[in-house]
C-alpha cells in the first residue's frame, strides 16, 4: 500500500510541476480584510471585485468577495495600501490610507458600504470566473457553472466530478470510500433523501445546481449523523437587484429535462422561485443470476425495463426588516418515481433429497412514487458588534412514498400459472427541526458559536400482501405478511465551536457536540435504549505564502439505524432472494482523521492532496445466508437467500486523494481527481479477513476554441469494491460535450454524449457467503446523446438615494458602469 501511495504522489507531482513552476513573488505575512454591504439594505454583496495597490500604485493583490460579502487579501508586505472596489450596479469606490505593519499585520477595514448608482440599467449579462474548486477551513466547494458535460443530465452526473466523491452506475454515493453520506439541499435535510437517495438525486436537473459543498470532517455545528460526511447541493440563485433568471431545456436519447428560475429583488425584499421537471425514457437492462449451494442451484436470465419521471417547485424569500433584523423562508414540493417491469426465465435444480429440475418464467411489475413538501422559516438578529448575531431556524419536511408490485410465475413448457402475488407498501415520514444558534466574536481572530437543536422524526409504514388463489384466479389477503410498523426518533443536541488564530500562525477551529437520542416503537414491539453520543471535532490550518494551506482535522461520527434497518418484515418481492431488517442492529460509529495540502496559482491552477484514515468498530455490512426453506407466515419459500444489514465487522480504511486543476494555457484546462485507499475488514466473531485496495479516478479536459465555443471531455473509473461477503463491480464511463454561446452570451446550446460507442455497460457482482456463492450480471444501457439550450435574462434597476449619497464619501469622478 505504501509503495502505491508513493508512486501516486510522484506521478501527480510530475504532472502538476509545470503548473506551479512560475511562482509569484513572495510578499509577506500581512493581510487586509473586511466586508462589502449595500448602503440601502445593509445586506452583504457577494462576488464583488477588490484590488489592493501599494503606495507606488503597483498591484499588490486582489480577490472576489465570498458568499457572505467577506474578503481577505493576504501575502502583503508592511506598508500603505489603497483598495479599489467595483461591482456592477454600484458606484466604484476607493478606500485609501490603509497601513499594515509588523506589529499590526492584520487590518480589518470593517463594513464598506457601496451605493447603487443612479442609472437604470437595461438587460445586463453578469459574468465572472470563479475557481472550480474552493478550499475553506471546514469544507471544499465545487462550482458547477462552467461544467458542460453534465449540462443536460441530473445531479448524479455532476457528483461524479466532485473531488473525493464517487458514484456507481446505480447512483450510489461514496465519500472517501464511505457510503454513509448525508445529503443536504441548500444546507437543509429533506425527507426525500432519507426515503430514496438515488431516486431523489436522479430527479434534480443538473441545470438547477450552482455548487456542491463537500464536508468530509464536519464540525460541531453539523449533525453527527453520517459517518461518511456531508454533501450539500446548492441550487442556483441570483442576488442582483431587479428581475432576473434563467431557463434551460434538454432533450435526448435518455433524459428530457427542463428548469426555470426567477429572482426578484426590490429594496429590502428578495423573492425567488423555480420549477423543474425531468423524464428518463424507458431503459432496458439485461440480467442474469447464478447461485450455487450444497442442496440446490439456481439460474435466472431476463430483462428489466425502467421508466423515471419527476418534477419539483420551490419558492422562497429573504426580507431585511431592519438593518439588524432578517426573516427568510421557503416552501418546496417534489414528486418523482419510476415504473419497473420485466421477465425472468428461471432454471432451478434441487439436489436434496431428490434431484429435480424445474423451469419457470416470472413476470413482475413494480411501481414507486414519492411526494413530499419541505418548508422553512428563520429569524436572525444582528447586534452592534460586527459578526455577533443570534438565529432561530425551523424546518419541516414530510414525504409519502408508495410502492406496489405484482408477480406471476408459470411452469415451462405450457406456461401454466402456479403462483402469483401482489401487494403494496406506503410510508409516511414527518420530520421537524428547530435550532437556536448564537455567534459571538471576541476579536478579529476569535469567535464562539453555540447552539441547541431538536430533531423529531415520525415514520409509519403499512404493507399489504395478497396471494393468487387457483383455479379461481382471485387474490386474497395474506394476513401473515401484512405489516404495520411505526417508528419515532427524537434527538436533542447542544454544541459549541470556537475559532481563533493561535500564535499568529494557525487557524484553529475546535468543537464539541452532544446528542441524546430517544427511539420508540409503538406497543413496545422493539426496545431500543436511549443513548448519548459526544462528537468532538478539531481543525488546524496553516496558511503559507503563495496561496498554500496545510490542514489537519479530526472528528467522530455516527450512523444511526433507520426504519429499513430495524424493521423485521420480510420483503418477498423476489421470491428467490428475500430481504429483512434486523432489530438488534446498533449504531455505526467511526473516527476520522485527515491531513491535506492545498495550493492555488494565479494562473488558475490548483492542487489538493489529502491523506485520510477512518476506523469503525461496528461496521455495517450486508449479510446473506442460504436456506433450504423459510416460512414467512403461511407461505414457505424454498431454496432462498435472506439478506439483512448487521454490525458485521471492524473496518480500517486509509488512503490518499489528489485533486488538481492545471491551467495549461488560457484556453486549455485539465482537471484530475484520484484516490487510492486500503480497506481492512475483520468480521466480528471470526471469519475471513478482507483486505483490498480501491481506486477512483476521473479526468476532465476543457478547451476554448473561441470566446463563445468550448469543448469538454470527461472520463471516470471506479475500481471494484470489496466487502465482507462479496466483490462489487467496477465502473467506467466517458463523455464529450460542445457548447456554443449565443445571443450575446445570454444563451447557450450544448451537445453532450456519454459512452457513444458502447451500447451496454456490463456489471457483475460476486457473493461468497459460506454456504452459497452467486454471481449477478447486468448489461446496462448507459449510452446517452443529448442537446440542451439555456437562456439567461435579467433587468437590474437602481434608484438614487440622495440622503445616502450625501453621507457616503464617494469620489466625484466615479460614475459607475458595468464591471464584467
Amino acid at each position: 500500500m505504501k509503495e502505491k501511495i508513493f508512486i501516486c504522489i510522484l506521478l501527480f507531482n510530475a504532472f502538476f510541476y509545470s503548473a506551479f513552476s512560475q511562482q509569484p513573488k513572495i510578499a509577506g505575512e500581512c493581510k487586509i480584510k473586511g466586508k462589502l454591504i449595500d448602503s440601502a439594505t445593509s445586506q452583504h454583496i457577494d462576488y464583488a471585485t477588490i484590488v489592493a495597490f501599494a503606495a507606488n500604485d503597483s498591484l499588490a493583490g486582489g480577490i472576489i468577495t465570498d458568499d457572505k460579502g467577506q474578503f481577505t487579501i493576504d501575502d502583503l508586505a508592511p506598508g500603505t495600501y489603497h483598495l479599489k472596489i467595483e461591482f456592477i450596479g454600484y458606484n466604484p469606490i476607493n478606500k485609501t490610507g490603509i497601513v499594515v505593519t509588523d506589529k499590526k499585520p492584520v487590518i480589518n477595514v470593517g463594513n464598506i458600504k457601496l451605493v447603487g448608482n443612479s442609472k437604470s440599467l437595461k438587460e445586463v449579462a453578469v459574468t465572472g470566473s470563479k475557481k472550480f474548486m474552493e478550499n475553506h477551513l471546514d469544507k471544499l466547494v465545487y462550482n458547477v457553472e462552467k461544467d458542460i458535460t453534465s449540462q443536460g443530465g441530473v445531479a448524479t452526473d455532476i457528483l461524479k466530478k466532485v473531488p473525493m466523491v464517487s458514484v456507481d452506475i446505480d447512483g450510489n454515493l461514496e465519500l472517501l470510500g464511505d457510503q454513509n453520506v448525508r445529503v443536504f439541499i441548500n444546507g437543509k435535510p429533506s425527507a426525500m433523501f432519507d426515503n430514496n437517495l438515488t431516486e431523489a438525486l436522479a430527479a434534480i436537473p443538473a441545470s438547477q445546481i450552482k455548487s456542491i459543498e463537500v464536508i468530509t470532517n464536519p464540525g460541531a455545528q453539523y449533525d453527527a449523523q453520517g459517518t461518511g460526511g456531508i454533501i450539500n447541493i446548492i441550487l442556483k440563485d441570483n442576488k442582483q437587484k431587479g428581475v432576473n433568471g434563467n431557463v434551460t431545456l434538454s432533450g435526448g436519447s435518455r433524459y428530457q429535462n427542463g428548469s426555470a428560475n426567477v429572482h426578484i429583488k426590490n429594496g429590502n425584499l428578495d423573492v425567488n422561485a423555480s420549477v423543474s421537471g425531468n423524464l428518463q425514457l424507458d431503459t432496458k437492462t439485461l440480467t442474469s443470476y447464478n447461485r450455487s449451494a450444497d442442496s440446490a442451484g439456481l439460474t435466472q436470465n431476463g430483462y428489466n425495463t425502467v421508466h423515471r419521471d419527476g418534477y419539483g417547485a420551490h419558492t422562497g424569500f429573504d426580507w431585511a426588516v431592519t438593518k439588524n433584523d432578517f426573516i427568510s423562508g421557503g416552501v418546496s414540493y417534489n414528486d418523482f418515481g419510476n415504473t419497473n417491469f420485466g421477465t425472468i426465465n428461471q432454471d432451478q435444480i434441487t439436489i436434496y433429497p431428490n434431484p429435480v429440475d424445474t423451469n419457470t418464467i416470472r413476470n413482475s411489475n413494480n411501481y414507486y412514487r414519492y411526494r413530499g413538501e419541505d418548508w422553512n422559516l428563520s429569524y436572525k438578529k444582528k447586534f452592534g458588534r460586527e459578526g455577533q448575531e443570534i438565529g432561530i431556524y425551523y424546518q419541516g419536511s414530510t414525504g409519502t412514498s408508495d410502492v406496489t408490485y405484482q408477480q406471476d410465475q408459470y411452469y415451462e413448457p405450457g406456461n401454466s400459472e402456479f403462483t402469483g402475488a401482489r401487494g403494496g407498501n406506503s410510508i409516511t415520514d414527518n420530520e421537524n427541526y428547530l435550532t437556536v444558534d448564537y455567534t459571538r466574536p471576541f476579536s478579529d481572530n476569535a469567535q464562539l458559536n453555540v447552539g441547541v437543536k431538536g430533531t423529531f422524526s415520525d415514520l409509519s409504514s403499512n404493507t399489504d400482501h395478497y396471494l393468487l388463489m387457483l383455479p379461481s384466479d382471485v387474490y386474497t389477503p395474506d394476513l401473515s405478511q401484512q405489516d404495520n410498523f411505526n417508528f419515532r426518533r427524537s434527538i436533542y443536541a447542544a454544541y459549541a465551536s470556537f475559532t481563533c488564530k493561535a500564535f499568529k500562525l494557525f487557524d484553529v477551529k475546535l468543537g464539541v457536540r452532544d446528542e441524546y437520542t430517544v427511539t420508540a416503537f409503538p406497543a413496545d414491539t422493539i426496545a431500543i435504549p436511549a443513548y448519548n453520543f459526544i462528537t468532538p471535532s478539531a481543525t488546524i490550518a496553516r496558511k503559507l505564502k503563495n496561496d498554500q494551506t496545510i490542514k489537519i482535522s479530526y472528528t467522530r461520527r455516527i450512523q444511526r439505524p433507520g426504519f429499513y434497518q430495524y424493521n423485521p418484515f420480510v420483503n418477498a418481492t423476489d421470491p428467490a432472494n428475500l430481504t429483512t431488517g434486523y432489530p438488534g442492529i446498533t449504531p455505526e460509529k467511526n473516527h476520522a482523521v485527515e491531513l491535506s495540502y492545498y495550493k492555488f496559482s494565479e494562473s488558475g491552477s490548483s492542487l489538493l492532496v489529502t491523506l485520510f484514515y477512518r476506523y469503525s468498530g461496528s461496521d455495517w455490512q450486508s449479510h446473506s445466508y442460504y436456506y433450504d426453506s423459510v416460512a414467512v407466515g403461511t407461505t414457505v419459500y424454498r431454496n432462498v437467500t435472506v439478506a439483512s444489514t448487521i454490525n458485521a465487522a471492524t473496518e480500517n480504511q486509509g488512503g490518499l486523494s489528489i485533486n488538481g486543476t492545471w491551467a495549461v494555457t488560457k484556453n486549455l484546462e485539465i482537471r484530475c481527481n484520484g484516490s487510492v485507499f486500503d480497506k481492512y475488514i475483520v468480521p466480528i466473531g471470526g471469519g475471513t479477513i478482507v483486505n483490498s485496495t480501491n481506486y477512483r479516478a476521473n479526468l476532465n479536459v476543457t478547451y476554448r476554441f473561441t470566446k463563445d465555443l468550448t469543448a469538454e471531455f470527461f472520463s471516470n473509473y471506479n475500481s471494484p469494491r470489496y466487502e465482507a461477503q462479496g466483490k462489487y463491480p467496477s465502473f467506467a464511463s466517458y463523455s464529450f460535450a460542445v457548447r456554443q454561446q449565443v445571443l450575446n452570451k445570454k444563451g447557450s446550446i450544448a451537445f453532450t454524449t456519454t459512452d457513444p460507442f458502447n451500447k451496454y455497460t456490463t456489471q457483475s457482482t460476486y457473493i461468497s457467503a459460506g454456504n452459497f456463492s452467486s454471481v449477478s450480471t447486468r448489461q446496462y444501457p448507459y449510452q446517452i446523446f443529448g442537446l440542451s439550450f439555456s437562456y439567461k435574462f435579467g433587468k437590474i434597476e437602481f434608484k438614487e438615494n440622495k440622503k445616502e449619497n450625501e453621507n457616503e464619501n464617494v469620489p466625484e469622478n466615479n460614475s459607475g458602469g458595468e464591471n464584467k
Side-chain angles (χ1 to χ4, degrees):
M1 178 63 185
K2 293 180 180 179
E3 290 81 4
K4 294 174 182 176
I5 294 176
F6 181 69
I7 291 172
C8 289
I9 293 174
L10 289 179
L11 289 174
F12 271 81
N13 282 344
F15 182 77
F16 284 99
Y17 176 78
S18 61
F20 303 108
S21 58
Q22 295 182 352
Q23 300 292 351
K25 183 180 178 180
I26 296 175
E29 295 287 348
C30 300
K31 57 183 68 177
I32 300 172
K33 60 193 302 185
K35 182 176 181 180
L36 297 189
I37 62 174
D38 187 299
S39 63
T41 66
S42 295
Q43 290 189 322
H44 61 259
I45 301 174
D46 45 0
Y47 308 122
T49 302
I50 302 173
V51 182
F53 294 90
N56 61 359
D57 286 332
S58 63
L59 178 65
I63 200 168
I64 296 175
T65 56
D66 62 18
D67 55 6
K68 295 182 180 179
Q70 298 172 341
F71 67 90
T72 300
I73 303 175
D74 50 19
D75 287 346
L76 299 176
T80 301
Y81 297 89
H82 66 273
L83 303 180
K84 184 177 181 181
I85 303 165
E86 294 182 336
F87 193 56
I88 186 169
Y90 291 87
N91 291 325
I93 186 172
N94 287 304
K95 191 169 183 64
T96 60
I98 303 171
V99 181
V100 292
T101 65
D102 289 330
K103 293 184 178 180
K104 197 171 181 180
V106 180
I107 299 296
N108 190 339
V109 296
N111 290 342
I112 300 177
K113 296 182 179 181
L114 297 190
V115 180
N117 64 32
S118 58
K119 295 183 178 181
S120 177
L121 302 179
K122 295 182 179 180
E123 292 187 352
V124 176
V126 182
T127 62
S129 180
K130 291 190 291 183
K131 306 174 188 176
F132 259 112
M133 182 173 64
E134 299 176 17
N135 186 39
H136 298 261
L137 182 61
D138 59 352
K139 64 186 176 184
L140 186 73
V141 180
Y142 179 81
N143 292 308
V144 180
E145 61 182 359
K146 290 195 236 179
D147 192 277
I148 302 176
T149 54
S150 302
Q151 186 165 323
V154 295
T156 309
D157 299 306
I158 291 180
L159 285 165
K160 294 173 187 173
K161 298 185 175 184
V162 176
M164 296 183 280
V165 177
S166 60
V167 185
D168 68 15
I169 199 168
D170 296 312
N172 299 307
L173 299 182
E174 281 188 2
L175 185 52
L176 290 179
D178 195 320
Q179 292 181 306
N180 296 323
V181 182
R182 192 88 186 273
V183 177
F184 293 161
I185 191 151
N186 288 336
K188 302 175 180 64
S190 174
M192 69 176 180
F193 293 134
D194 295 334
N195 184 273
N196 193 322
L197 178 58
T198 57
E199 290 292 336
L201 293 174
I204 302 175
S207 58
Q208 288 284 79
I209 300 175
K210 174 183 177 182
S211 62
I212 294 177
E213 299 177 347
V214 177
I215 309 169
T216 53
N217 276 0
Q221 70 271 33
Y222 297 100
D223 294 340
Q225 177 78 357
T227 56
I230 295 171
I231 293 176
N232 184 24
I233 299 174
I234 307 295
L235 301 182
K236 287 183 177 178
D237 62 1
N238 194 325
K239 297 300 183 183
Q240 310 304 320
K241 289 184 178 180
V243 179
N244 48 72
N246 64 80
V247 177
T248 301
L249 297 174
S250 304
S253 62
R254 186 176 178 188
Y255 293 124
Q256 318 288 318
N257 296 331
S259 65
N261 300 269
V262 63
H263 176 264
I264 303 171
K265 182 173 182 179
N266 185 15
N268 298 342
L269 181 64
D270 286 5
V271 179
N272 61 82
S274 65
V275 62
S276 64
N278 73 91
L279 174 68
Q280 179 182 313
L281 303 180
D282 289 358
T283 302
K284 185 176 182 179
T285 302
L286 308 180
T287 63
S288 68
Y289 177 77
N290 289 278
R291 186 178 69 206
S292 176
D294 292 338
S295 59
L298 175 67
T299 299
Q300 295 178 333
N301 292 284
Y303 70 90
N304 186 57
T305 301
V306 177
H307 170 94
R308 286 188 174 93
D309 65 273
Y311 64 92
H314 167 79
T315 184
F317 73 93
D318 293 287
W319 180 26
V321 184
T322 71
K323 67 177 183 179
N324 292 321
D325 299 275
F326 304 87
I327 297 176
S328 63
V331 179
S332 299
Y333 177 77
N334 292 283
D335 186 314
F336 56 84
N338 67 67
T339 56
N340 186 318
F341 59 91
T343 296
I344 293 177
N345 296 295
Q346 180 171 288
D347 182 12
Q348 182 164 294
I349 300 175
T350 302
I351 300 173
Y352 180 85
N354 298 306
V356 177
D357 189 351
T358 305
N359 293 289
T360 61
I361 295 177
R362 187 173 80 240
N363 296 325
S364 62
N365 289 276
N366 299 278
Y367 170 83
Y368 166 79
R369 199 78 201 169
Y370 173 87
R371 299 174 179 86
E373 303 85 30
D374 298 278
W375 59 94
N376 65 86
L377 184 66
S378 65
Y379 167 74
K380 184 166 66 175
K381 171 73 174 180
K382 292 186 177 182
F383 299 96
R385 189 184 186 97
E386 172 67 21
Q388 183 180 6
E389 60 187 39
I390 187 170
I392 302 174
Y393 309 90
Y394 167 74
Q395 185 197 353
S397 183
T398 184
T400 299
S401 64
D402 294 297
V403 176
T404 61
Y405 62 89
Q406 179 172 335
Q407 55 188 13
D408 301 283
Q409 202 153 345
Y410 302 83
Y411 284 119
E412 283 190 305
N415 291 338
S416 58
E417 186 170 10
F418 68 93
T419 184
R422 67 184 185 190
N425 174 231
S426 180
I427 298 175
T428 300
D429 187 7
N430 293 292
E431 300 178 3
N432 291 277
Y433 308 86
L434 181 62
T435 305
V436 179
D437 184 271
Y438 175 71
T439 302
R440 172 66 160 87
F442 296 98
S443 68
D444 291 341
N445 297 317
Q447 178 176 290
L448 176 67
N449 176 232
V450 296
V452 294
K453 181 177 182 179
T455 301
F456 309 97
S457 303
D458 188 348
L459 187 147
S460 62
S461 170
N462 297 294
T463 301
D464 294 318
H465 188 75
Y466 298 85
L467 294 176
L468 176 64
M469 306 304 294
L470 295 173
S472 61
D473 286 339
V474 175
Y475 285 91
T476 61
D478 182 1
L479 300 180
S480 64
Q481 292 192 53
Q482 290 187 351
D483 179 58
N484 296 311
F485 192 79
N486 297 322
F487 169 79
R488 292 193 182 98
R489 171 175 285 155
S490 299
I491 302 174
Y492 306 92
Y495 59 90
S497 177
F498 183 70
T499 305
C500 66
K501 189 84 170 181
F503 310 110
K504 298 183 179 180
L505 296 174
F506 303 100
D507 294 309
V508 179
K509 187 172 185 177
L510 304 174
V512 63
R513 186 182 185 95
D514 190 6
E515 294 186 343
Y516 183 75
T517 304
V518 179
T519 305
F521 299 87
D524 296 325
T525 52
I526 301 174
I528 306 294
Y531 55 91
N532 198 63
F533 184 75
I534 297 178
T535 305
S537 60
T539 300
I540 301 174
R542 172 75 167 105
K543 290 186 177 180
L544 306 176
K545 297 174 182 179
N546 304 325
D547 287 320
Q548 300 178 89
T549 303
I550 296 177
K551 180 171 64 178
I552 185 169
S553 61
Y554 163 79
T555 191
R556 184 171 180 244
R557 305 280 292 170
I558 188 173
Q559 186 71 24
R560 297 178 181 87
F563 162 78
Y564 296 102
Q565 287 80 29
Y566 279 131
N567 191 359
F569 175 71
V570 177
N571 185 331
T573 304
D574 181 352
N577 299 280
L578 310 181
T579 59
T580 183
Y582 174 58
I585 192 171
T586 60
E588 179 180 341
K589 304 172 184 177
N590 80 341
H591 301 269
V593 181
E594 291 179 16
L595 174 64
S596 66
Y597 165 81
Y598 177 74
K599 164 66 180 165
F600 180 75
S601 168
E602 291 180 350
S603 66
S605 298
S606 65
L607 176 64
L608 174 65
V609 180
T610 302
L611 287 168
F612 62 93
Y613 172 75
R614 289 176 174 174
Y615 169 77
S616 172
S618 53
D619 191 59
W620 290 359
Q621 294 280 330
S622 177
H623 183 271
S624 299
Y625 198 84
Y626 172 80
Y627 295 91
D628 292 332
S629 63
V630 173
V632 181
T634 59
T635 303
V636 177
Y637 296 92
R638 301 190 183 279
N639 303 316
V640 298
T641 61
V642 180
S644 60
T645 300
I646 64 173
N647 303 101
T650 62
E651 181 176 301
N652 290 271
Q653 182 174 293
L656 171 72
S657 173
I658 302 179
N659 311 277
T661 299
W662 182 18
V664 185
T665 68
K666 67 177 183 179
N667 292 325
L668 176 62
E669 185 175 76
I670 299 174
R671 301 197 307 276
C672 295
N673 298 315
S675 64
V676 54
F677 56 92
D678 193 74
K679 263 190 175 183
Y680 191 76
I681 302 172
V682 181
I684 296 173
T688 303
I689 295 175
V690 178
N691 188 14
S692 65
T693 301
N694 302 263
Y695 306 88
R696 308 284 190 268
N698 63 55
L699 172 69
N700 200 101
V701 180
T702 303
Y703 187 78
R704 185 178 180 183
F705 292 96
T706 68
K707 64 179 182 179
D708 296 327
L709 179 63
T710 305
E712 186 173 289
F713 168 77
F714 173 73
S715 63
N716 179 62
Y717 175 74
N718 294 348
S719 71
R721 175 170 59 91
Y722 294 84
E723 301 296 346
Q725 282 192 329
K727 174 186 174 182
Y728 294 83
S730 62
F731 172 50
S733 67
Y734 58 96
S735 302
F736 299 94
V738 178
R739 181 177 67 187
Q740 173 70 50
Q741 292 182 310
V742 296
L743 304 176
N744 294 322
K745 294 188 176 182
K746 297 175 187 175
S748 65
I749 300 173
F751 169 77
T752 60
T753 179
T754 299
D755 286 4
F757 306 112
N758 297 322
K759 185 176 181 180
Y760 289 102
T761 296
T762 302
Q763 300 272 282
S764 296
T765 301
Y766 301 88
I767 301 295
S768 179
N771 66 342
F772 83 98
S773 62
S774 68
V775 56
S776 174
T777 301
R778 293 182 304 156
Q779 289 182 281
Y780 189 83
Y782 204 66
Q783 187 183 74
I784 304 171
F785 297 94
L787 190 66
S788 64
F789 173 74
S790 181
Y791 180 76
K792 297 179 182 180
F793 60 90
K795 184 177 181 181
I796 305 173
E797 295 182 351
F798 301 92
K799 296 182 178 179
E800 182 178 12
N801 188 322
K802 292 184 178 181
K803 183 177 181 180
E804 289 189 327
N805 279 336
E806 293 170 356
N807 294 333
E808 293 295 323
N809 182 21
V810 180
E812 292 181 358
N813 60 341
N814 287 347
S815 59
E818 293 186 18
N819 174 34
K820 294 187 178 181

